[in-house]
């Protein structure tokens, strides 16, 4: 059986790389980016990691470290990160016909038909670095789980120069025994504990686990992970636990979507799915991004790519909140010259800044939320309501926004005329 | 006899049909690579003789090719500067373009990094 190569390209410390793009003084400095409301460190430069700043370390607990080492601290600037992310994706699209966005800084790419995959990935990597200024790393394998694993290995071992092609079984056989089982995509802390009790500590051992046993320990999801590690693609990432940094729900549309209503139907379905997934894993999100674009490979048709982000205040996993935010984003991103008849073939919703619900900051404006279940069932009714109440809700949203703590936010370099970077 | 109803177009073609064109968009004309083009604001008259003035907005294309005589943004010692790339023999300089004021001529070293090539300028004037 010939297996199709899947690549995952991701940017380590993506938010930090975005901040560094316009401020060269950050190049060699330790940098951290804070979560929504300036709570804790969600992105750390390698040098900040080396100084012992842990992922999700609350800012008030690392103040001493920040001062002692001159760590540069930024509030998250999702407007900037969203724009840079869209640019990175558009470079990927020059290299492959099929891009599946997984989160703000990760995408799966189809590498089918590429002869020298390593050379091709290197070329893509240097194109992203040169054109957008963001360093990425690429892992290639015949399943998403293995590709992700290859990517992790490339990230941790500079010897690979940022690209690891694990299509070759000998290479996988050599590397997988060195990967701790907890590093495998979708293996949460609970599952890792259970596996370790069974003496399964590495990716290789997990790959060789009997399928029936895997299903017993961790349901069908773990069974599929085992198959994926064997190189058989069978996991859709809807099934995998979302990572803390974020997730995306996106689909291509067979027939191009032309009207706003059609497009928004797709987007609200994605937002609904994303909300379900958050609740399933007990998470809330701080930022929601909507994106959609026309078929970039049809140069004969009018081209448009739209993308907008909105803060979720308070952080939420509520379908109502997410669809509402998605509506605001979709309206803002909708082309002003829509009469050109754009046909949108891809639309998606991306969530960032995920937190366990019990850790979410309580804001002054936390209102008691209506029961989610009732809301989900009434999505159609909800959509009707939006038509009438959009203005009111949107204005409530903007009034709230300034209450959010973002004391160290960098300028919106790429989206506001007043915030343009300055060259002297 | 049976009647079949088939609509037949028999009018004149819309005289406007051939005239439907998009409004001109000089920004899209400047920005040839949207993914790699970023706008910056200029402070100072370092490139005055190249027609780039204090307060101008410049589009900078990271995918542009730095050639002798082209205006670029370069990163020198942690600061971004707009200069002209000048090659003299086997030495490369980041040169100002201002015959009225003194701006430094910076040698292009191994540490110097070209951020991007200036793709165009946007400027507007007071109306009132």
């Amino acid at each position: 059986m010939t297996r199709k190569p899947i690549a995952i390209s991701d940017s380590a410390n993506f938010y930090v790389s975005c901040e560094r793009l316009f401020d060269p003084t950050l190049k060699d400095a330790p940098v951290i980016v804070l979560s929504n409301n300036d709570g804790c460190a969600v992105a750390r430069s390698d040098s900040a990691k080396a100084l012992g700043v842990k992922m999700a370390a609350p800012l008030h607990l690392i103040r001493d470290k920040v001062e002692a080492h001159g760590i540069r601290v930024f509030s998250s600037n999702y407007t900037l990160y969203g724009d840079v992310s869209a640019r990175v994706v558009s470079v990927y699209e020059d290299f492959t016909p099929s891009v599946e966005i997984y989160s703000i800084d990760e995408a799966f790419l189809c590498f089918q038909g590429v002869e020298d995959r390593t050379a091709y990935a290197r070329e893509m990597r240097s194109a992203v670095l040169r054109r957008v200024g963001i360093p990425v790393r690429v892992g290639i394998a015949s399943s998403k789980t293995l590709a992700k694993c290859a990517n992790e290995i490339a990230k941790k071992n500079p010897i690979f120069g940022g690209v690891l092609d694990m299509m070759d079984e000998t290479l996988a056989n050599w590397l997988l025994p060195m990967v701790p089982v907890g590093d495998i995509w979708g293996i949460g802390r609970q599952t890792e504990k259970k596996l370790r009790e069974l003496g399964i500590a590495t990716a290789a051992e997990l790959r060789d686990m009997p399928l029936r046993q895997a299903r017993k320990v961790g349901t069908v999801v773990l069974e599929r992970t085992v198959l994926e590690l064997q190189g058989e693609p069978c996991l859709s990432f809807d099934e995998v636990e979302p990572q803390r940094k974020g997730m995306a729900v996106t689909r291509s549309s067979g027939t191009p979507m032309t009207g706003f209503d059609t497009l928004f139907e797709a987007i609200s379905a994605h937002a609904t799915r994303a909300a379900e997934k958050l609740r399933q894993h007990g998470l809330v999100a701080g930022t929601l991004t909507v994106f959609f674009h026309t078929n970039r490979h049809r140069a004969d048709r009018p081209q448009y790519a739209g993308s907008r982000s909105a803060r979720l205040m308070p952080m939420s996993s509520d379908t109502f909140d997410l669809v509402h935010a998605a509506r605001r984003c979709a309206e803002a991103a909708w082309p002003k010259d829509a009469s050109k008849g754009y046909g949108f073939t891809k639309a998606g919703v991306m969530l960032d800044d995920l937190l366990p619900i019990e850790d979410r900051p309580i804001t002054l404006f936390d209102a008691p939320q209506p029961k989610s279940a009732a809301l989900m069932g009434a999505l159609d009714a909800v959509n009707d309501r939006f038509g009438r109440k959009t203005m009111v809700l949107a204005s409530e949203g903007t009034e709230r926004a300034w209450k959010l703590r973002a004391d160290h936010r960098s300028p919106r370099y790429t989206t506001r005329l007043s915030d343009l970077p300055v060259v002297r | 006899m049976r009647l079949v109803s088939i609509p037949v177009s028999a009018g004149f073609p819309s005289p406007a049909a051939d005239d439907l064109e998009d409004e001109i968009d000089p920004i899209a004309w400047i920005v040839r690579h949207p993914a790699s083009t970023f706008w910056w604001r200029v402070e100072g008259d370092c490139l005055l003789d190249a027609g780039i003035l204090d307060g101008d907005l410049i589009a900078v294309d990271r995918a542009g090719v730095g050639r002798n005589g082209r205006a670029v943004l370069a990163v020198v010692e942690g600061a971004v500067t707009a200069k002209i790339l000048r090659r003299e023999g086997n030495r490369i300089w980041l040169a100002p373009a201002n015959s009225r004021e003194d701006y430094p001529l910076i040698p292009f070293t191994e540490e110097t990094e070209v951020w991007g090539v200036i793709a165009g300028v946007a400027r507007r004037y007071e109306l009132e």
Side-chain angles (χ1 to χ4, degrees):
Chain A
M1 192 183 84
T2 48
R3 292 178 158 169
K4 296 177 190 169
I6 301 166
I8 181 165
S9 187
D10 93 324
S11 167
N13 325 330
F14 176 65
Y15 301 165
V16 173
S17 298
C18 292
E19 297 294 346
R20 282 179 168 159
L21 187 54
F22 296 100
D23 185 351
T25 64
L26 301 175
K27 193 178 164 202
D28 301 309
V31 180
I32 61 172
V33 177
L34 302 173
S35 62
N36 208 332
N37 217 22
D38 287 356
C40 50
V42 286
R44 305 154 297 155
S45 66
D46 289 339
S47 43
K49 286 177 195 168
L51 289 171
V53 178
K54 296 268 177 284
M55 187 62 178
L59 180 62
H60 66 269
L61 293 183
I62 53 170
R63 285 259 181 231
D64 291 351
K65 221 169 244 173
V66 166
E67 280 183 22
H69 302 287
I71 298 176
R72 305 277 299 267
V73 177
F74 288 88
S75 305
S76 39
N77 184 349
Y78 282 106
T79 317
L80 174 67
Y81 311 151
D83 179 72
V84 174
S85 170
R87 290 167 185 259
V88 171
V89 169
S90 93
V91 177
Y92 294 155
E93 276 166 346
D94 285 345
F95 283 82
T96 167
S98 160
V99 178
E100 201 176 354
I101 296 167
Y102 176 52
S103 72
I104 196 161
D105 61 351
E106 295 164 291
F108 288 103
L109 318 169
C110 169
F111 261 38
Q112 205 175 355
V114 177
E115 266 179 33
D116 187 343
R117 289 180 295 269
T118 302
Y120 197 68
R122 290 233 162 91
E123 198 190 319
M124 182 176 84
R125 194 172 173 260
S126 56
V128 176
L129 185 61
R130 172 152 179 262
R131 295 192 220 163
V132 195
I134 298 295
V136 296
R137 289 168 182 92
V138 188
I140 306 159
S142 59
S143 72
K144 284 175 179 164
T145 306
L146 269 183
K148 195 107 167 71
C149 190
N151 183 295
E152 285 293 320
I153 297 170
K155 197 184 290 184
K156 286 182 183 151
N157 302 279
I159 184 175
F160 293 109
V163 174
L164 175 56
D165 178 6
M166 236 175 29
M167 285 299 283
D168 180 1
E169 239 170 81
T170 349
L171 190 59
N173 287 339
W174 178 58
L175 289 168
L176 291 184
M178 293 183 254
V179 178
V181 74
D183 283 6
I184 298 298
W185 192 34
I187 303 290
R189 219 168 282 165
Q190 289 301 319
T191 317
E192 182 189 358
K193 212 175 136 218
K194 282 189 220 162
L195 288 170
R196 284 191 182 269
E197 278 163 11
L198 292 166
I200 294 168
T202 70
E205 285 161 352
L206 181 61
R207 177 196 58 194
D208 299 333
M209 184 182 194
L211 287 177
R212 287 183 56 178
Q213 191 190 13
R215 184 190 279 254
K216 243 167 77 191
V217 174
T219 74
V220 68
V221 176
L222 187 64
E223 187 186 358
R224 288 188 188 158
T225 300
V226 172
L227 282 168
E228 287 249 319
L229 285 174
Q230 295 170 4
E232 197 171 310
C234 52
L235 206 58
S236 86
F237 45 62
D238 264 16
E239 293 165 300
V240 176
E241 187 179 341
Q243 314 170 94
R244 185 200 167 90
K245 61 179 169 186
M247 62 163 174
V249 177
T250 165
R251 296 276 182 285
S252 294
S253 161
T255 41
M257 302 171 278
T258 49
F260 182 83
D261 292 345
T262 324
L263 178 75
F264 188 66
E265 241 170 60
I267 288 170
S268 51
H270 300 337
T272 304
R273 178 70 193 110
E276 278 168 20
K277 211 173 146 183
L278 283 179
R279 289 194 299 269
Q280 201 182 326
H281 295 284
L283 298 167
V284 286
T287 304
L288 178 144
T289 304
V290 161
F291 58 91
F292 49 89
H293 61 74
T294 50
N295 186 347
R296 292 199 176 116
H297 303 282
R298 287 297 304 269
D300 55 317
R301 303 256 177 86
Q303 296 286 313
Y304 185 86
S307 158
R308 284 289 191 287
S309 302
R311 289 260 179 187
L312 293 165
M313 270 293 286
M315 295 175 81
S316 175
S317 60
D318 193 293
T319 307
F320 185 91
D321 291 348
L322 265 62
V323 173
H324 173 206
R327 174 100 196 182
R328 280 164 50 208
C329 291
E331 281 175 346
W334 184 247
K336 302 204 167 41
D337 52 355
S339 58
K340 277 187 184 168
Y342 298 108
F344 297 105
T345 49
K346 192 168 250 182
V349 167
M350 207 146 55
L351 296 176
D352 288 290
D353 204 2
L354 308 187
L355 271 187
I357 189 157
E358 58 273 15
D359 297 349
R360 78 167 175 168
I362 302 301
T363 66
L364 216 61
F365 295 93
D366 267 8
Q369 297 289 324
K371 287 229 164 61
S372 298
L375 260 180
M376 273 189 303
L379 186 62
D380 290 5
V382 165
N383 279 336
D384 281 352
R385 256 161 80 193
F386 277 127
R388 290 199 301 275
K389 274 194 76 180
T390 307
M391 293 301 287
V392 179
L393 289 170
S395 66
E396 282 169 8
T398 42
E399 246 172 68
R400 283 172 177 189
W402 66 271
K403 292 289 178 195
L404 196 75
R405 267 188 93 93
D407 294 343
H408 316 278
R409 191 178 52 221
S410 52
R412 271 87 161 213
Y413 294 113
T414 58
T415 49
R416 289 192 184 189
L417 211 51
S418 57
D419 283 16
L420 285 184
V422 171
V423 55
R424 288 184 179 86
Chain B
M1 182 170 123
R2 282 196 176 180
L3 286 178
V4 183
S5 151
I6 303 170
V8 175
S9 317
F12 290 102
S14 163
D18 285 342
D19 302 330
L20 290 177
E21 289 194 7
D22 298 333
E23 240 178 277
I24 49 164
D25 183 352
I27 295 301
W29 175 71
I30 289 176
V31 178
R32 279 142 285 175
H33 309 116
S36 57
T37 304
F38 297 85
W39 288 89
W40 288 69
R41 185 186 301 276
V42 176
E43 250 177 39
D45 283 325
C46 169
L47 293 180
L48 184 91
D49 298 346
I52 296 171
L53 311 183
D54 181 56
D56 282 355
L57 307 186
I58 51 172
V60 182
D61 193 341
R62 294 183 55 94
V65 183
R67 288 192 204 284
N68 189 25
R70 284 196 179 160
V72 299
L73 291 203
V75 183
V76 181
E77 284 163 19
V80 183
T81 178
K83 292 281 182 303
I84 307 288
L85 269 185
R86 280 261 179 267
R87 174 187 297 237
E88 277 166 23
N90 51 8
R91 300 204 61 181
I92 302 174
W93 302 90
L94 291 167
N98 187 322
S99 44
R100 297 180 214 175
E101 284 170 82
D102 241 7
Y103 282 94
L105 179 71
I106 304 167
F108 194 97
T109 67
E110 273 183 7
E111 276 97 71
T112 313
E113 181 200 331
V114 171
W115 198 93
V117 177
I118 298 182
V121 189
R123 181 185 312 145
R124 70 177 197 185
Y125 301 98
E126 288 304 319
L127 290 176
E128 306 307 324

